[in-house]
Each structure stands twice: as structure tokens, then as C-alpha cells.
């Protein structure tokens, strides 16, 4: 009984979905196409304006950065000329960077049990004893 009810309900849904959904209210295909084209043209124009303003802002930032860099170089040259005339140094030497901390894993490579090419020395007696245990 349940299967028949579900089958009938499914058929009713399928038949109901076959109805017409024509909502163009008397418009021709040419009218629909022209309205879609107008919307697309407006969307493209908006995107172009947005991109243009973004590009102009980027160019303005680049120009400002270049002018600041130029001004900094100009000020540096002025300071060098002033220091040469007074005999003092306008630029300061930076503090030396501290030496890096010792690597705790460095002993693996500088271990006296290692050979010069970095491989570990092999105790042949221990290797033979291990091999004899597995040969039984």
C-alpha cells in the first residue's frame, strides 16, 4: 500500500512539473536579447571603470614610492657632502650580528667514531656476531 502511494505521489510531481513556465509576457526573442545585451554592456562598463580606477591608484602609489626613494637618495647625498666638509661620518656602521647558536645535532657529523667521509665506523666483530645469530 505504501509503495503504491509513493508511486502515485511521484507521478503527480512529475506531471505537475510539466506545466508551462513561460514568463516573458509577450516579449519577442529580439527584445529579450537586446535587454540582455544592454545589461551586459552596462556590466562591462562598470568593470572597466573599476579596473581603470584600480590601475590609476597603483600607478599613483608607484610614483609616490619612486619620488620618496629619489628624495631619500638626495638627502643621503646631502648628508655625505656635509660629512665630508665637516670630517665626520654621517653613516653609522651597523652592529655585527651575533654568531648563530651551536647546532645540537652537529655532533652527529663531527663525532670521532665517524670516518672522514661522514660514515660511521663499523665494528666488524659485532657485525659477525649478529650475522651468526641469524644464520641458525
Amino acid at each position: 500500500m505504501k509503495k503504491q502511494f509513493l508511486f502515485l505521489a511521484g507521478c503527480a510531481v512529475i506531471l505537475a512539473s510539466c506545466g508551462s513556465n513561460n514568463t516573458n509576457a509577450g516579449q519577442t526573442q529580439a527584445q529579450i536579447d537586446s535587454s540582455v545585451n544592454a545589461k551586459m554592456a552596462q556590466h562591462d562598463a562598470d568593470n572597466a571603470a573599476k579596473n581603470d580606477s584600480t590601475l590609476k591608484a597603483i600607478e599613483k602609489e608607484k610614483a609616490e614610492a619612486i619620488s620618496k626613494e629619489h628624495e631619500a637618495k638626495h638627502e643621503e647625498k646631502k648628508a655625505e657632502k656635509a660629512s665630508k666638509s665637516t670630517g665626520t661620518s654621517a653613516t653609522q656602521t651597523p652592529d655585527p650580528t651575533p654568531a648563530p647558536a651551536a647546532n645540537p645535532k652537529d655532533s652527529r657529523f663531527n663525532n670521532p667514531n665517524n670516518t672522514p667521509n661522514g660514515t660511521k665506523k663499523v665494528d666488524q666483530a659485532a657485525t659477525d656476531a649478529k650475522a651468526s645469530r641469524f644464520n641458525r
Side-chain angles (χ1 to χ4, degrees):
M1 183 71 167
K2 278 186 175 181
K3 289 181 183 179
Q4 290 177 348
F5 177 71
L6 290 176
F7 180 72
L8 289 174
C11 289
V13 169
I14 291 172
L15 289 175
S17 67
C18 291
S20 176
N21 59 0
N22 189 1
T23 59
N24 64 7
Q27 292 181 335
T28 64
Q29 188 62 36
Q31 291 172 335
I32 294 171
D33 289 344
S34 65
S35 65
V36 168
N37 289 339
K39 286 181 184 178
M40 290 300 293
Q42 180 63 34
H43 185 268
D44 290 344
D46 292 343
N47 282 341
K50 181 180 175 184
N51 290 342
D52 288 344
S53 64
T54 303
L55 289 175
K56 287 179 183 178
I58 290 172
E59 288 175 2
K60 183 179 177 183
E61 288 176 6
K62 283 183 182 179
E64 289 174 357
I66 290 171
S67 66
K68 285 181 183 179
E69 184 178 326
H70 181 65
E71 289 175 6
K73 285 182 181 179
H74 186 65
E75 291 295 325
E76 186 178 308
K77 286 181 182 179
K78 278 186 180 179
E80 283 181 16
K81 287 181 182 178
S83 67
K84 285 182 182 178
S85 66
T86 60
T88 61
S89 174
T91 60
Q92 296 179 352
T93 58
D95 294 334
T97 58
N103 187 353
K105 296 181 179 180
D106 197 28
S107 63
R108 290 188 300 176
F109 304 107
N110 297 328
N111 194 342
N113 292 333
N114 292 345
T115 60
N117 62 3
T119 60
K120 195 171 185 178
K121 291 181 183 177
V122 177
D123 183 14
Q124 191 61 37
T127 303
D128 292 339
K130 189 184 287 185
S132 68
R133 284 184 282 173
F134 288 106
N135 287 336
R136 295 184 189 189

